[in-house]
Amino acid sequence: MDKFSSQDHQFMQRAFELAAIAENNGEVPVGAVLVKDDLIIGEGFNQPILTHDPTAHAEIIALRDAGQQVQNYRLVNTTLYVTLEPCAMCAMALVHARVTRVVYAAADPRTGAAGSVLNLLDNSSFNHQCELQSGLLQEECSAQLKTFFKRKRVK
């Protein structure tokens, strides 16, 4: 039985599409969408190279977009869908924004901060914890990332 709803699949599919935009721009293919009340309120894709901004990760761009849309830096009762496990920077931004749930596709065994290396999203030391789910579209997102890095190594 699938632990994810059809809407979860739909939103992660959109994140996957955004990751392809990042890849087409020479960026690491990561995409993210933030959802509230079954509507996308923010979306983003990796663009630190394009923008010369080390903080321009997909999650941060989606949070910024959503904050502008709802005119609030607190993004309660939201779910973030992201194609790669958030790093420490992004995880803490999600905690500070009070995102309720984080669904990620592929684990990041090198810098993942949602359970792979650290777990900053569900840390009882903080005044907010995010519900975590992983593995939705894992194969597709992992393949997209592996193909991207394989091409980078050939050049």
Side-chain angles (χ1 to χ4, degrees):
M1 174 127 167
D2 195 353
K3 64 182 176 180
F4 299 105
S5 72
S6 62
Q7 286 184 312
D8 288 334
H9 283 273
Q10 173 190 337
F11 294 129
M12 186 62 82
Q13 182 61 45
R14 177 61 184 153
F16 182 71
E17 292 164 6
L18 290 165
I21 295 171
E23 184 173 20
N24 290 338
N25 284 298
E27 300 278 0
V28 175
V30 179
V33 297
L34 192 68
V35 174
K36 182 178 176 81
D37 299 327
D38 299 324
L39 296 171
I40 294 174
I41 60 168
E43 50 183 40
F45 56 87
N46 267 11
Q47 41 193 305
I49 298 166
L50 194 64
T51 61
H52 312 289
D53 178 356
T55 69
H57 289 195
E59 300 95 322
I60 300 295
I61 305 250
L63 289 173
R64 288 176 182 158
D65 187 27
Q68 291 301 307
Q69 295 297 323
V70 301
Q71 290 293 288
N72 198 330
Y73 73 106
R74 295 287 194 223
L75 300 167
V76 297
N77 299 318
T78 58
T79 298
L80 181 88
Y81 297 87
V82 61
T83 58
L84 181 65
E85 180 181 358
C87 70
M89 173 184 70
C90 293
M92 287 311 302
L94 294 163
V95 168
H96 288 299
R98 307 295 193 265
V99 170
T100 304
R101 178 176 171 236
V102 175
V103 179
Y104 68 88
D108 185 347
R110 298 174 88 166
T111 63
S116 290
V117 177
L118 306 166
N119 191 346
L120 297 176
L121 291 174
D122 189 23
N123 187 316
S124 61
S125 298
F126 304 138
N127 60 353
H128 176 77
Q129 293 81 40
C130 301
E131 176 189 332
L132 282 172
Q133 285 185 284
S134 63
L136 178 59
L137 292 188
Q138 178 179 354
E139 287 181 25
E140 296 89 330
C141 295
S142 291
Q144 184 182 48
L145 286 156
K146 286 175 186 169
T147 300
F148 173 82
F149 285 114
K150 189 180 283 185
R151 265 193 241 115
K152 282 284 190 195
R153 284 190 295 274
V154 171
K155 290 184 179 179

